[in-house]
Amino acid sequence: MENHNRILGFIYIISGALQILTMIFLYAFFSAFFPFLSEEAGPDGAWVFEWLLPFIGTIAVCVVIVFAIPGIIAGAGLLNHKKWALTLALILGIFKLFSFPIGTAIGIYTIWVYA
């Protein structure tokens, strides 16, 4: 059981870090790409690129941070043998079940380790 907690800790830390890095990359890519689309949209469609898409981007960044930071904290807690970390990992694992296919595998493994 000790090895599974350690493996699960590493999985959560790596998963959280990759989520944050992916979001940073996508945010930078779309921030550089949207000005070109705004020019092509003309004055009637420019409001979408000036207001709506940055709003959606901010919401997406917040959602990723809400799930990535607790995942990193749960992973660090599992590596440091904290009792609360397995409960946090179980809650995050249940949410990860909806993220097909890798998140589903992590969620199933988390539930299996917890049971």
Side-chain angles (χ1 to χ4, degrees):
M1 187 64 160
E2 179 65 32
N3 287 335
H4 292 294
N5 285 342
R6 187 168 182 212
I7 291 169
L8 196 61
F10 283 123
I11 287 173
Y12 272 97
I13 290 173
I14 291 170
S15 172
L18 287 176
Q19 286 174 344
I20 291 173
L21 288 175
T22 302
M23 183 51 66
I24 289 171
F25 173 75
L26 288 175
Y27 194 79
F29 174 76
F30 284 118
S31 294
F33 188 63
F34 282 155
F36 297 114
L37 290 177
S38 178
E39 290 175 9
E40 295 294 323
D44 293 335
W47 70 273
V48 172
F49 295 101
E50 292 172 1
W51 184 82
L52 186 61
L53 292 176
F55 177 73
I56 293 171
T58 303
I59 297 294
V61 167
C62 291
V63 167
V64 167
I65 288 175
V66 161
F67 287 108
I69 299 295
I72 294 171
I73 292 170
L78 285 170
L79 291 177
N80 291 324
H81 310 291
K82 302 294 182 184
K83 292 181 180 180
W84 53 264
L86 197 53
T87 305
L88 178 60
L90 177 66
I91 293 168
L92 293 172
I94 291 170
F95 284 121
K96 283 186 179 284
L97 287 173
F98 299 107
S99 178
F100 186 78
I102 296 173
T104 304
I106 294 171
I108 291 170
Y109 183 62
T110 302
I111 293 170
W112 180 78
V113 167
Y114 193 74

